[in-house]
Amino acid sequence: MIPRAEFLKDILADLRMAASFVTILPVASSKPAADGAVARATWALPVAGLLVGLAGAFVYKAATRLGLPPNLAALLTLATTALITGALHEDGLADTADGLGGGRTRERRLEIMRDSRIGTYGVCALILSFGLRWSALAAIASPFAVTLALCAAHTAARAGVPAFMSLVPPARPDGLSASAGVPPGRSVAIAFALGTLVLALTLGPGKALASLILLSLAGLTLARLAIRRIGGQTGDVLGTFEQLGEILILLVAAAFQVGH
């Protein structure tokens, strides 16, 4: 049996590691991670996502308190979340769009994805991502409803990443995804449970179910495309999965909000 102090220490280490991977906050441990530590810590990705969502919600609330309209408050919110994450997921989306959309061979597509320059597919993907999320937040408008939607989106979008990593093999032997390893089943289950719980608490059972269905369909589609085009997943593909999750959940929240 693991002593309580050691158990809490491991949880804190996992939380710090997850936060260091999805944000630019200086929370990483100075000690090198042991083998399998990164994969094990993936259960905490939705917790790190929740913190990002709360930061965005704080900015939205402050902006509306200052008298800014919802469209400007939404833009500042997206700028905040991109700043906190170092635009990590947006970068992955752009690279994936360029790689999967261009190149005639698997090797060429992977080469394009590693290129720091952005192409036409990447630009279009970023415009659509920011545009859809901005429109959804502006349509929701209410600061309280925006807070719930942001918490749901940033938590659940990252909750499926461990499962995606577990089910889809790495496209290459090196890179961020391959070096992280395969998340254990326990981490996959905990992350999924946390994401589902936050979805249900913030959006309600009906919206949570709709979000889960859309996330599953998006994940399966992305996985099939990535396997067919480049042979598996990379860190950029994982970033794309997160972006798709954010977009879909915010759209679900906005659609129900408008309908209500």
Side-chain angles (χ1 to χ4, degrees):
M1 218 177 150
I2 303 176
R4 179 177 298 179
E6 190 69 24
F7 178 70
L8 293 176
K9 184 179 179 181
D10 288 342
I11 290 179
L12 180 60
D14 287 349
L15 289 171
R16 292 177 65 182
M17 186 170 295
S20 71
F21 266 87
V22 301
T23 73
I24 60 172
L25 300 177
V27 294
S29 173
S30 58
K31 297 181 179 180
D35 290 342
V38 175
R40 186 189 68 240
T42 54
W43 70 265
L45 288 176
V47 180
L50 178 61
L51 297 178
V52 176
L54 287 172
F58 174 81
V59 170
Y60 187 92
K61 178 70 172 179
T64 55
R65 280 286 183 92
L66 292 174
L68 293 178
N71 58 341
L72 291 179
L75 190 58
L76 289 173
T77 298
L78 292 178
T80 299
T81 56
L83 177 63
I84 292 175
T85 61
L88 173 69
H89 310 302
E90 286 83 359
D91 179 69
L93 173 65
D95 287 342
T96 300
D98 281 333
L100 298 186
R104 294 182 177 274
T105 65
R106 171 183 178 273
E107 291 72 23
R108 177 55 182 156
R109 294 172 191 130
L110 288 171
E111 182 183 347
I112 292 173
M113 292 173 70
R114 274 187 162 166
D115 193 332
S116 60
R117 294 171 296 181
I118 186 170
T120 303
Y121 288 110
V123 171
C124 291
L126 288 178
I127 291 174
L128 286 172
S129 175
F130 277 104
L132 288 171
R133 288 182 290 159
W134 172 76
S135 300
L137 291 174
I140 295 171
S142 163
F144 180 68
V146 165
T147 296
L148 296 179
L150 285 170
C151 290
H154 283 277
T155 301
R158 293 169 176 84
V161 170
F164 197 93
M165 294 173 65
S166 179
L167 296 174
V168 183
R172 50 193 173 211
D174 57 348
L176 177 62
S177 179
S179 63
V182 179
R186 181 180 180 182
S187 295
V188 173
I190 293 174
F192 179 81
L194 289 174
T196 302
L197 177 62
V198 172
L199 272 178
L201 292 176
T202 54
L203 301 185
K207 303 173 191 178
L209 179 59
S211 297
L212 287 174
I213 292 174
L214 289 175
L215 279 173
S216 298
L217 292 175
L220 290 172
T221 302
L222 179 62
R224 182 178 179 182
L225 182 61
I227 291 174
R228 187 175 63 190
R229 300 287 284 179
I230 59 174
Q233 48 90 2
T234 66
D236 288 330
V237 174
L238 297 179
T240 301
F241 178 83
E242 190 280 338
Q243 285 285 281
L244 291 174
E246 272 191 56
I247 292 168
L248 290 173
I249 293 171
L250 290 178
L251 288 177
V252 168
F256 278 89
Q257 181 78 7
V258 172
H260 180 75

